[in-house]
Amino acid sequence: MIIVSVTGPSMPEAFNQIASSVRYADIFELRLDLLPDTDVRAAIRATRKPVIATCRPVREGGSFEGPEVDRFDLLQRAIDAGARYVDLELDAWTPGRRQLRSRVSRLQWIVSHHSLGSYPRRVDVLYKSMMRTGAEVLKFAYTAEDAWQIKAAMEFLALARGDGKRALAIAMGEAGEASRVLYKVFGGWATFACPERGRQSAPGQLPASALRNVFRAHERTTRTKVFGLVGNPVGQSKGPYIHNVLYRRLDRDAIYCRFRVDNLPRFMKSFEGVLQGCSVTVPHKQAMMRLLSQVDPDARRLGAVNTVVRRATGYFGANTDASGALDAIEGKLLVAGKRCLVIGAGGAARAIAGEAIRRGATVCIANRTLARARSVARALGAEWTTIDGIPSFKPEILVNATSAGMWPDIDVSPVAAIPDTVHLAFDAIYNPVMTCFLEKAGKQGIMTVTGVEMFARQAVEQIRLFTGRKPLTTDVKRLFVAATRDPVQDSRRYIPDTRPGP
Ligand code: NAP
C-alpha cells in the first residue's frame, strides 16, 4: 500500500496534491496539523480512496501546538466525515480512545510512535507496548543518520510479521530512504510517500510516482532480491532508474535502492541476511575489500571493489570500473604500446591505470596531491609526475579520473591545456556528460570518450554479476540519458560523442 500524505497547507493546494497523486496512492493521509482550515469532508470526498486522519503534535514531529482536547476534536471531525483510519500516538492512546467516538464499524486505529532523538535500541519493548493497545495497525518512525540504522525498522517489521500484524516502520531522513522502498521486502503493510518532490511531510519521503514507477515498491515481496548503491553521497545516483528497469526486462524479481552509508562494517552486518549485492562508491571502494570473504584477483591487484555479490560462501567483490573504462577507451583506440597518462589518484584512477597497464600501455599518474600519485604509481608499477609535468611524458591517451569538472563545478578542468601529443581524451566524469576537459580536447580535434561510456559498460558487467544476465550497453546508455532529464543534472550539456575511431 502506498499512502500519500496530503499537507496543503491551503485547501486548493491539498486538492492539487490529491489530484496529482491519485493514480499512485492506495490510501491518502490528511495531515490535519498542516492543514489549518480544512474542509475535511470535501477533502475526503476528493480523494476517492480510504483516508487516514492524522493530527501530529509538535512533540512527535508534527505541527499541532494546541491542547489535546482540540486535537482530538479535529480527529473526531475527520471520523465523522468518513475517515477510514485514525492515527493516534502511543502516548495519547488512552485519553484519545476515551474521547474519540467511532460511528462506523469499519473505522480502524493506527497506533504510532515517532522516535526523533537517538537511535531506538529496544524495538521489542516498544513493539510490545504498541501491541497492548489492540490497534489494528502499528506505525513506528524514527530518524536514521546512517543506512545501517534501517535495522530497527527491519526488527520491528519482523516482530509484526511473526504475529501476523499489519505494521509500518520507517527510518526517516535520506539515510533511511531504503526503508520506504523495501517495506514489502521487510514484510511491512504500507509506506508513506509525498505527492510530489518538495512536498514531504517527513524527511526522506519519496514521491509516490517514484515509489510506484521507479522502484515498483508495492509489487515486491519478502522473496525479492535486494541490491543497491552503497556510499556517501548517493542522492544524485541514477542507478535506481537504470537497474530497476533492466531487472524487469531481464525477468528478475530484484530491486535496487540507495544506501547512504558512513559506517560500512555496521551496514554490512545489519544487511547480511538481506543484501544480495551492491554497487560500491566513494568512500568505501577500498574499505569494502576487508569485509568480503572473496575478492576477484584483478580487483585485489587494483586495491578497490565497486561490485559486491552474495555467493554461497559469502560476499564476493569485483571491480567493473576498470574493464568498463578500458573497454570504452578501446572502442576507439587500443591501448597496447601507447603512452597513457591518468590524472587522479583515487579509486577510479587506480582502476583505470591498473587495467591500462594490464592491457599493455605505459602508464604515468599525475595528481593534485603528488604524494598520492607516487603511492598509487608505486603500487601499480607506473610512473608519476606533477600536473605541470604532464606534457613531458608525451601522453597519447589522457584520462581525467579526478572529480575536477564534476557538477556543480562544471567550468573546472584538471589541466589548463591538453598536450598536442594526445590522440584520445577520456573523462570518467558523467555529470555533466560533456565536461570542460572534453570540450577542450574536442576543440583541438582530439578523439573524446565520455564517462557515460564507462558507466554503461561497468553497469552491464555489474548487472551480469547481480542477475546472471547481461543487458545491452545501448539500453543502459538510453536509460542513463532518460534519467538525466532532470534540471539539476544539466542534461543540455549532453553532446553525443560521434567522432569515429581510427
Ligand atoms: P576519489 O577516490 O575521491 O578521488 C578523487 C580524485 O580527484 C583525487 O585524485 C583528488 O585529488 C582529485 N580531485 C578532486 N577534486 C579535484 C580538483 N578540484 N582538482 C584536481 N583534482 C581533484 O574519487 P573516485 O572514485 O576516484 O572518482 C573520481 C571521478 O571518477 C569522479 O568524478 C567520479 O564520478 C568518476 N567515476 C566515474 C565512473 C564511471 O562509471 N564513469 C566510475 C567511478 C568514478 P587529491 O588526491 O589531491 O585530493
Side-chain angles (χ1 to χ4, degrees), residues 381-424:
E383 297 175 34
W384 71 87
T385 185
T386 58
I387 300 285
D388 290 344
I390 292 173
S392 47
F393 177 72
K394 300 195 179 2
E396 296 162 288
I397 297 168
L398 186 61
V399 173
N400 175 31
T402 74
S403 327
M406 196 163 88
W407 188 89
D409 300 317
I410 57 172
D411 296 320
V412 175
S413 166
V415 282
I418 296 179
D420 51 19
T421 52
V422 173
H423 301 311
L424 181 143

mmCIF file of all heavy atoms in Angstrom, residues 381-424:
data_model
loop_
_atom_site.group_PDB
_atom_site.id
_atom_site.type_symbol
_atom_site.label_atom_id
_atom_site.label_comp_id
_atom_site.label_asym_id
_atom_site.label_seq_id
_atom_site.Cartn_x
_atom_site.Cartn_y
_atom_site.Cartn_z
ATOM 1 N N GLY A 381 53.167 -0.126 -10.388
ATOM 2 C CA GLY A 381 54.308 -0.225 -11.300
ATOM 3 C C GLY A 381 54.190 0.781 -12.434
ATOM 4 O O GLY A 381 54.482 0.461 -13.593
ATOM 5 N N ALA A 382 53.724 1.996 -12.122
ATOM 6 C CA ALA A 382 53.589 3.054 -13.142
ATOM 7 C C ALA A 382 54.589 4.171 -12.836
ATOM 8 O O ALA A 382 55.255 4.158 -11.796
ATOM 9 C CB ALA A 382 52.178 3.610 -13.113
ATOM 10 N N GLU A 383 54.683 5.148 -13.760
ATOM 11 C CA GLU A 383 55.480 6.353 -13.485
ATOM 12 C C GLU A 383 54.568 7.370 -12.805
ATOM 13 O O GLU A 383 53.349 7.209 -12.795
ATOM 14 C CB GLU A 383 55.987 6.947 -14.799
ATOM 15 C CG GLU A 383 56.929 6.002 -15.550
ATOM 16 C CD GLU A 383 57.319 6.585 -16.920
ATOM 17 O OE1 GLU A 383 57.438 7.826 -17.043
ATOM 18 O OE2 GLU A 383 57.492 5.775 -17.850
ATOM 19 N N TRP A 384 55.136 8.437 -12.287
ATOM 20 C CA TRP A 384 54.300 9.507 -11.735
ATOM 21 C C TRP A 384 54.931 10.845 -12.050
ATOM 22 O O TRP A 384 56.134 10.938 -12.302
ATOM 23 C CB TRP A 384 54.074 9.339 -10.241
ATOM 24 C CG TRP A 384 55.276 9.602 -9.368
ATOM 25 C CD1 TRP A 384 55.689 10.783 -8.855
ATOM 26 C CD2 TRP A 384 56.212 8.625 -8.920
ATOM 27 N NE1 TRP A 384 56.818 10.614 -8.108
ATOM 28 C CE2 TRP A 384 57.161 9.289 -8.116
ATOM 29 C CE3 TRP A 384 56.346 7.237 -9.112
ATOM 30 C CZ2 TRP A 384 58.235 8.634 -7.516
ATOM 31 C CZ3 TRP A 384 57.416 6.586 -8.507
ATOM 32 C CH2 TRP A 384 58.337 7.287 -7.722
ATOM 33 N N THR A 385 54.076 11.880 -12.051
ATOM 34 C CA THR A 385 54.565 13.232 -12.323
ATOM 35 C C THR A 385 53.608 14.255 -11.704
ATOM 36 O O THR A 385 52.540 13.885 -11.224
ATOM 37 C CB THR A 385 54.714 13.469 -13.849
ATOM 38 O OG1 THR A 385 55.293 14.755 -14.048
ATOM 39 C CG2 THR A 385 53.383 13.425 -14.576
ATOM 40 N N THR A 386 54.029 15.510 -11.761
ATOM 41 C CA THR A 386 53.135 16.579 -11.289
ATOM 42 C C THR A 386 52.180 16.930 -12.433
ATOM 43 O O THR A 386 52.404 16.534 -13.588
ATOM 44 C CB THR A 386 53.948 17.840 -10.954
ATOM 45 O OG1 THR A 386 54.650 18.214 -12.152
ATOM 46 C CG2 THR A 386 54.927 17.606 -9.825
ATOM 47 N N ILE A 387 51.148 17.736 -12.131
ATOM 48 C CA ILE A 387 50.206 18.168 -13.187
ATOM 49 C C ILE A 387 50.984 18.963 -14.241
ATOM 50 O O ILE A 387 50.802 18.762 -15.450
ATOM 51 C CB ILE A 387 49.058 19.021 -12.584
ATOM 52 C CG1 ILE A 387 48.266 18.215 -11.545
ATOM 53 C CG2 ILE A 387 48.153 19.588 -13.673
ATOM 54 C CD1 ILE A 387 47.317 17.165 -12.047
ATOM 55 N N ASP A 388 51.925 19.829 -13.798
ATOM 56 C CA ASP A 388 52.714 20.622 -14.756
ATOM 57 C C ASP A 388 53.637 19.753 -15.594
ATOM 58 O O ASP A 388 54.046 20.126 -16.699
ATOM 59 C CB ASP A 388 53.567 21.658 -13.996
ATOM 60 C CG ASP A 388 52.688 22.740 -13.394
ATOM 61 O OD1 ASP A 388 51.519 22.842 -13.826
ATOM 62 O OD2 ASP A 388 53.159 23.466 -12.491
ATOM 63 N N GLY A 389 53.970 18.580 -15.058
ATOM 64 C CA GLY A 389 54.915 17.694 -15.767
ATOM 65 C C GLY A 389 54.250 16.814 -16.820
ATOM 66 O O GLY A 389 54.936 16.029 -17.482
ATOM 67 N N ILE A 390 52.929 16.938 -16.975
ATOM 68 C CA ILE A 390 52.201 16.045 -17.903
ATOM 69 C C ILE A 390 52.760 16.090 -19.333
ATOM 70 O O ILE A 390 53.027 15.045 -19.933
ATOM 71 C CB ILE A 390 50.672 16.342 -17.883
ATOM 72 C CG1 ILE A 390 50.089 15.924 -16.524
ATOM 73 C CG2 ILE A 390 49.950 15.608 -19.014
ATOM 74 C CD1 ILE A 390 48.625 16.319 -16.301
ATOM 75 N N PRO A 391 53.014 17.313 -19.929
ATOM 76 C CA PRO A 391 53.476 17.332 -21.332
ATOM 77 C C PRO A 391 54.780 16.570 -21.532
ATOM 78 O O PRO A 391 54.976 15.929 -22.577
ATOM 79 C CB PRO A 391 53.660 18.824 -21.624
ATOM 80 C CG PRO A 391 52.801 19.524 -20.628
ATOM 81 C CD PRO A 391 52.806 18.677 -19.406
ATOM 82 N N SER A 392 55.677 16.583 -20.525
ATOM 83 C CA SER A 392 56.969 15.933 -20.758
ATOM 84 C C SER A 392 56.866 14.401 -20.818
ATOM 85 O O SER A 392 57.765 13.742 -21.318
ATOM 86 C CB SER A 392 58.019 16.379 -19.728
ATOM 87 O OG SER A 392 57.468 16.312 -18.462
ATOM 88 N N PHE A 393 55.734 13.829 -20.363
ATOM 89 C CA PHE A 393 55.524 12.371 -20.517
ATOM 90 C C PHE A 393 55.131 12.031 -21.959
ATOM 91 O O PHE A 393 55.190 10.899 -22.396
ATOM 92 C CB PHE A 393 54.434 11.905 -19.527
ATOM 93 C CG PHE A 393 54.075 10.450 -19.632
ATOM 94 C CD1 PHE A 393 54.948 9.450 -19.192
ATOM 95 C CD2 PHE A 393 52.857 10.060 -20.184
ATOM 96 C CE1 PHE A 393 54.609 8.099 -19.303
ATOM 97 C CE2 PHE A 393 52.513 8.712 -20.296
ATOM 98 C CZ PHE A 393 53.388 7.736 -19.849
ATOM 99 N N LYS A 394 54.711 13.053 -22.731
ATOM 100 C CA LYS A 394 54.236 12.901 -24.113
ATOM 101 C C LYS A 394 53.092 11.872 -24.226
ATOM 102 O O LYS A 394 53.177 10.874 -24.956
ATOM 103 C CB LYS A 394 55.394 12.512 -25.045
ATOM 104 C CG LYS A 394 56.516 13.537 -25.091
ATOM 105 C CD LYS A 394 57.409 13.285 -26.268
ATOM 106 C CE LYS A 394 58.555 14.211 -26.481
ATOM 107 N NZ LYS A 394 58.836 15.284 -25.580
ATOM 108 N N PRO A 395 51.998 12.106 -23.471
ATOM 109 C CA PRO A 395 50.905 11.125 -23.478
ATOM 110 C C PRO A 395 50.156 11.077 -24.814
ATOM 111 O O PRO A 395 49.961 12.118 -25.444
ATOM 112 C CB PRO A 395 49.976 11.634 -22.372
ATOM 113 C CG PRO A 395 50.252 13.084 -22.252
ATOM 114 C CD PRO A 395 51.697 13.279 -22.613
ATOM 115 N N GLU A 396 49.776 9.855 -25.213
ATOM 116 C CA GLU A 396 48.923 9.696 -26.402
ATOM 117 C C GLU A 396 47.456 9.561 -25.979
ATOM 118 O O GLU A 396 46.553 9.887 -26.722
ATOM 119 C CB GLU A 396 49.358 8.447 -27.174
ATOM 120 C CG GLU A 396 50.775 8.584 -27.724
ATOM 121 C CD GLU A 396 51.376 7.237 -28.087
ATOM 122 O OE1 GLU A 396 51.705 6.455 -27.161
ATOM 123 O OE2 GLU A 396 51.507 6.970 -29.289
ATOM 124 N N ILE A 397 47.295 9.034 -24.765
ATOM 125 C CA ILE A 397 45.948 8.928 -24.187
ATOM 126 C C ILE A 397 45.970 9.710 -22.876
ATOM 127 O O ILE A 397 46.873 9.516 -22.057
ATOM 128 C CB ILE A 397 45.578 7.457 -23.921
ATOM 129 C CG1 ILE A 397 45.538 6.673 -25.243
ATOM 130 C CG2 ILE A 397 44.249 7.343 -23.184
ATOM 131 C CD1 ILE A 397 45.473 5.169 -25.080
ATOM 132 N N LEU A 398 44.990 10.608 -22.713
ATOM 133 C CA LEU A 398 44.938 11.401 -21.480
ATOM 134 C C LEU A 398 43.600 11.138 -20.795
ATOM 135 O O LEU A 398 42.539 11.274 -21.409
ATOM 136 C CB LEU A 398 45.078 12.894 -21.816
ATOM 137 C CG LEU A 398 45.186 13.843 -20.623
ATOM 138 C CD1 LEU A 398 46.421 13.552 -19.769
ATOM 139 C CD2 LEU A 398 45.241 15.308 -21.114
ATOM 140 N N VAL A 399 43.687 10.734 -19.522
ATOM 141 C CA VAL A 399 42.478 10.341 -18.777
ATOM 142 C C VAL A 399 42.267 11.290 -17.606
ATOM 143 O O VAL A 399 43.195 11.521 -16.829
ATOM 144 C CB VAL A 399 42.645 8.897 -18.237
ATOM 145 C CG1 VAL A 399 41.483 8.523 -17.314
ATOM 146 C CG2 VAL A 399 42.758 7.900 -19.383
ATOM 147 N N ASN A 400 41.055 11.829 -17.495
ATOM 148 C CA ASN A 400 40.731 12.553 -16.266
ATOM 149 C C ASN A 400 39.973 11.604 -15.342
ATOM 150 O O ASN A 400 38.827 11.234 -15.616
ATOM 151 C CB ASN A 400 39.864 13.784 -16.541
ATOM 152 C CG ASN A 400 39.451 14.443 -15.223
ATOM 153 O OD1 ASN A 400 40.203 14.388 -14.225
ATOM 154 N ND2 ASN A 400 38.285 15.068 -15.196
ATOM 155 N N ALA A 401 40.611 11.214 -14.257
ATOM 156 C CA ALA A 401 39.951 10.361 -13.253
ATOM 157 C C ALA A 401 39.874 11.107 -11.927
ATOM 158 O O ALA A 401 39.947 10.510 -10.865
ATOM 159 C CB ALA A 401 40.696 9.045 -13.109
ATOM 160 N N THR A 402 39.735 12.431 -12.015
ATOM 161 C CA THR A 402 39.519 13.242 -10.809
ATOM 162 C C THR A 402 38.066 13.709 -10.803
ATOM 163 O O THR A 402 37.329 13.472 -11.760
ATOM 164 C CB THR A 402 40.410 14.501 -10.781
ATOM 165 O OG1 THR A 402 39.886 15.444 -11.721
ATOM 166 C CG2 THR A 402 41.852 14.193 -11.118
ATOM 167 N N SER A 403 37.703 14.395 -9.737
ATOM 168 C CA SER A 403 36.344 14.975 -9.700
ATOM 169 C C SER A 403 36.357 16.397 -10.236
ATOM 170 O O SER A 403 35.319 17.076 -10.165
ATOM 171 C CB SER A 403 35.812 14.993 -8.269
ATOM 172 O OG SER A 403 36.278 13.908 -7.544
ATOM 173 N N ALA A 404 37.485 16.874 -10.746
ATOM 174 C CA ALA A 404 37.571 18.252 -11.245
ATOM 175 C C ALA A 404 36.740 18.384 -12.520
ATOM 176 O O ALA A 404 37.048 17.749 -13.533
ATOM 177 C CB ALA A 404 39.027 18.622 -11.514
ATOM 178 N N GLY A 405 35.684 19.199 -12.451
ATOM 179 C CA GLY A 405 34.794 19.401 -13.597
ATOM 180 C C GLY A 405 33.440 18.759 -13.381
ATOM 181 O O GLY A 405 32.530 18.904 -14.194
ATOM 182 N N MET A 406 33.307 18.046 -12.235
ATOM 183 C CA MET A 406 32.040 17.384 -11.947
ATOM 184 C C MET A 406 31.020 18.421 -11.492
ATOM 185 O O MET A 406 31.395 19.407 -10.852
ATOM 186 C CB MET A 406 32.278 16.367 -10.831
ATOM 187 C CG MET A 406 31.187 15.367 -10.676
ATOM 188 S SD MET A 406 31.798 13.963 -9.720
ATOM 189 C CE MET A 406 31.453 14.498 -8.075
ATOM 190 N N TRP A 407 29.752 18.187 -11.830
ATOM 191 C CA TRP A 407 28.685 19.077 -11.403
ATOM 192 C C TRP A 407 28.732 19.248 -9.890
ATOM 193 O O TRP A 407 28.938 18.276 -9.189
ATOM 194 C CB TRP A 407 27.330 18.480 -11.819
ATOM 195 C CG TRP A 407 26.182 19.409 -11.603
ATOM 196 C CD1 TRP A 407 25.702 20.326 -12.478
ATOM 197 C CD2 TRP A 407 25.373 19.517 -10.423
ATOM 198 N NE1 TRP A 407 24.655 21.000 -11.913
ATOM 199 C CE2 TRP A 407 24.426 20.528 -10.658
ATOM 200 C CE3 TRP A 407 25.378 18.866 -9.189
ATOM 201 C CZ2 TRP A 407 23.488 20.901 -9.711
ATOM 202 C CZ3 TRP A 407 24.439 19.238 -8.237
ATOM 203 C CH2 TRP A 407 23.499 20.240 -8.498
ATOM 204 N N PRO A 408 28.640 20.447 -9.301
ATOM 205 C CA PRO A 408 28.248 21.701 -9.945
ATOM 206 C C PRO A 408 29.427 22.536 -10.465
ATOM 207 O O PRO A 408 29.213 23.580 -11.045
ATOM 208 C CB PRO A 408 27.551 22.445 -8.798
ATOM 209 C CG PRO A 408 28.266 21.985 -7.567
ATOM 210 C CD PRO A 408 28.684 20.573 -7.820
ATOM 211 N N ASP A 409 30.687 22.055 -10.280
ATOM 212 C CA ASP A 409 31.845 22.864 -10.714
ATOM 213 C C ASP A 409 32.189 22.569 -12.169
ATOM 214 O O ASP A 409 33.311 22.142 -12.490
ATOM 215 C CB ASP A 409 33.035 22.585 -9.789
ATOM 216 C CG ASP A 409 32.723 22.930 -8.346
ATOM 217 O OD1 ASP A 409 32.118 23.994 -8.125
ATOM 218 O OD2 ASP A 409 33.047 22.119 -7.455
ATOM 219 N N ILE A 410 31.219 22.784 -13.043
ATOM 220 C CA ILE A 410 31.348 22.301 -14.409
ATOM 221 C C ILE A 410 32.334 23.094 -15.269
ATOM 222 O O ILE A 410 32.667 22.657 -16.358
ATOM 223 C CB ILE A 410 29.972 22.230 -15.109
ATOM 224 C CG1 ILE A 410 29.290 23.595 -15.081
ATOM 225 C CG2 ILE A 410 29.085 21.183 -14.471
ATOM 226 C CD1 ILE A 410 28.018 23.633 -15.919
ATOM 227 N N ASP A 411 32.798 24.247 -14.798
ATOM 228 C CA ASP A 411 33.738 25.022 -15.602
ATOM 229 C C ASP A 411 35.189 24.758 -15.231
ATOM 230 O O ASP A 411 36.098 25.449 -15.689
ATOM 231 C CB ASP A 411 33.421 26.513 -15.506
ATOM 232 C CG ASP A 411 32.046 26.802 -16.098
ATOM 233 O OD1 ASP A 411 31.732 26.187 -17.141
ATOM 234 O OD2 ASP A 411 31.283 27.591 -15.509
ATOM 235 N N VAL A 412 35.411 23.737 -14.411
ATOM 236 C CA VAL A 412 36.776 23.412 -13.964
ATOM 237 C C VAL A 412 37.331 22.291 -14.842
ATOM 238 O O VAL A 412 36.620 21.378 -15.229
ATOM 239 C CB VAL A 412 36.735 22.947 -12.483
ATOM 240 C CG1 VAL A 412 38.101 22.478 -12.012
ATOM 241 C CG2 VAL A 412 36.207 24.058 -11.598
ATOM 242 N N SER A 413 38.650 22.407 -15.157
ATOM 243 C CA SER A 413 39.323 21.323 -15.883
ATOM 244 C C SER A 413 40.556 20.926 -15.069
ATOM 245 O O SER A 413 41.187 21.776 -14.445
ATOM 246 C CB SER A 413 39.744 21.820 -17.271
ATOM 247 O OG SER A 413 40.651 20.907 -17.844
ATOM 248 N N PRO A 414 40.917 19.641 -15.054
ATOM 249 C CA PRO A 414 42.094 19.240 -14.262
ATOM 250 C C PRO A 414 43.404 19.732 -14.867
ATOM 251 O O PRO A 414 44.425 19.764 -14.180
ATOM 252 C CB PRO A 414 42.025 17.715 -14.275
ATOM 253 C CG PRO A 414 41.282 17.386 -15.533
ATOM 254 C CD PRO A 414 40.315 18.497 -15.747
ATOM 255 N N VAL A 415 43.373 20.116 -16.156
ATOM 256 C CA VAL A 415 44.586 20.657 -16.801
ATOM 257 C C VAL A 415 44.241 21.943 -17.547
ATOM 258 O O VAL A 415 43.144 22.066 -18.096
ATOM 259 C CB VAL A 415 45.193 19.656 -17.815
ATOM 260 C CG1 VAL A 415 45.976 18.567 -17.122
ATOM 261 C CG2 VAL A 415 44.136 19.070 -18.729
ATOM 262 N N ALA A 416 45.203 22.876 -17.590
ATOM 263 C CA ALA A 416 44.954 24.143 -18.288
ATOM 264 C C ALA A 416 44.978 23.919 -19.808
ATOM 265 O O ALA A 416 44.195 24.500 -20.545
ATOM 266 C CB ALA A 416 46.011 25.166 -17.872
ATOM 267 N N ALA A 417 45.893 23.032 -20.251
ATOM 268 C CA ALA A 417 46.000 22.782 -21.701
ATOM 269 C C ALA A 417 46.226 21.293 -21.927
ATOM 270 O O ALA A 417 46.783 20.597 -21.071
ATOM 271 C CB ALA A 417 47.166 23.574 -22.265
ATOM 272 N N ILE A 418 45.806 20.820 -23.085
ATOM 273 C CA ILE A 418 46.000 19.395 -23.405
ATOM 274 C C ILE A 418 47.185 19.278 -24.362
ATOM 275 O O ILE A 418 47.205 19.933 -25.417
ATOM 276 C CB ILE A 418 44.716 18.804 -24.016
ATOM 277 C CG1 ILE A 418 43.610 18.870 -22.946
ATOM 278 C CG2 ILE A 418 44.939 17.363 -24.499
ATOM 279 C CD1 ILE A 418 42.278 18.363 -23.339
ATOM 280 N N PRO A 419 48.211 18.491 -24.017
ATOM 281 C CA PRO A 419 49.407 18.401 -24.869
ATOM 282 C C PRO A 419 49.042 17.945 -26.279
ATOM 283 O O PRO A 419 48.119 17.148 -26.461
ATOM 284 C CB PRO A 419 50.264 17.340 -24.163
ATOM 285 C CG PRO A 419 49.736 17.219 -22.786
ATOM 286 C CD PRO A 419 48.315 17.630 -22.830
ATOM 287 N N ASP A 420 49.798 18.444 -27.284
ATOM 288 C CA ASP A 420 49.418 18.088 -28.662
ATOM 289 C C ASP A 420 49.843 16.672 -29.055
ATOM 290 O O ASP A 420 49.598 16.244 -30.170
ATOM 291 C CB ASP A 420 49.875 19.157 -29.664
ATOM 292 C CG ASP A 420 51.345 19.497 -29.485
ATOM 293 O OD1 ASP A 420 52.033 18.662 -28.858
ATOM 294 O OD2 ASP A 420 51.774 20.568 -29.953
ATOM 295 N N THR A 421 50.464 15.934 -28.127
ATOM 296 C CA THR A 421 50.771 14.520 -28.406
ATOM 297 C C THR A 421 49.531 13.631 -28.216
ATOM 298 O O THR A 421 49.526 12.469 -28.609
ATOM 299 C CB THR A 421 51.853 14.013 -27.414
ATOM 300 O OG1 THR A 421 51.410 14.315 -26.076
ATOM 301 C CG2 THR A 421 53.202 14.638 -27.682
ATOM 302 N N VAL A 422 48.464 14.192 -27.572
ATOM 303 C CA VAL A 422 47.300 13.373 -27.199
ATOM 304 C C VAL A 422 46.426 13.066 -28.421
ATOM 305 O O VAL A 422 46.054 13.962 -29.177
ATOM 306 C CB VAL A 422 46.484 14.104 -26.097
ATOM 307 C CG1 VAL A 422 45.175 13.364 -25.807
ATOM 308 C CG2 VAL A 422 47.308 14.252 -24.822
ATOM 309 N N HIS A 423 46.083 11.751 -28.596
ATOM 310 C CA HIS A 423 45.159 11.335 -29.673
ATOM 311 C C HIS A 423 43.748 11.142 -29.137
ATOM 312 O O HIS A 423 42.777 11.278 -29.864
ATOM 313 C CB HIS A 423 45.595 9.995 -30.283
ATOM 314 C CG HIS A 423 46.961 10.015 -30.863
ATOM 315 N ND1 HIS A 423 47.389 10.999 -31.715
ATOM 316 C CD2 HIS A 423 48.003 9.151 -30.720
ATOM 317 C CE1 HIS A 423 48.644 10.759 -32.067
ATOM 318 N NE2 HIS A 423 49.041 9.644 -31.467
ATOM 319 N N LEU A 424 43.691 10.740 -27.857
ATOM 320 C CA LEU A 424 42.365 10.443 -27.284
ATOM 321 C C LEU A 424 42.292 10.957 -25.852
ATOM 322 O O LEU A 424 43.221 10.739 -25.066
ATOM 323 C CB LEU A 424 42.119 8.927 -27.313
ATOM 324 C CG LEU A 424 40.747 8.465 -26.771
ATOM 325 C CD1 LEU A 424 40.224 7.287 -27.579
ATOM 326 C CD2 LEU A 424 40.792 8.095 -25.290
#
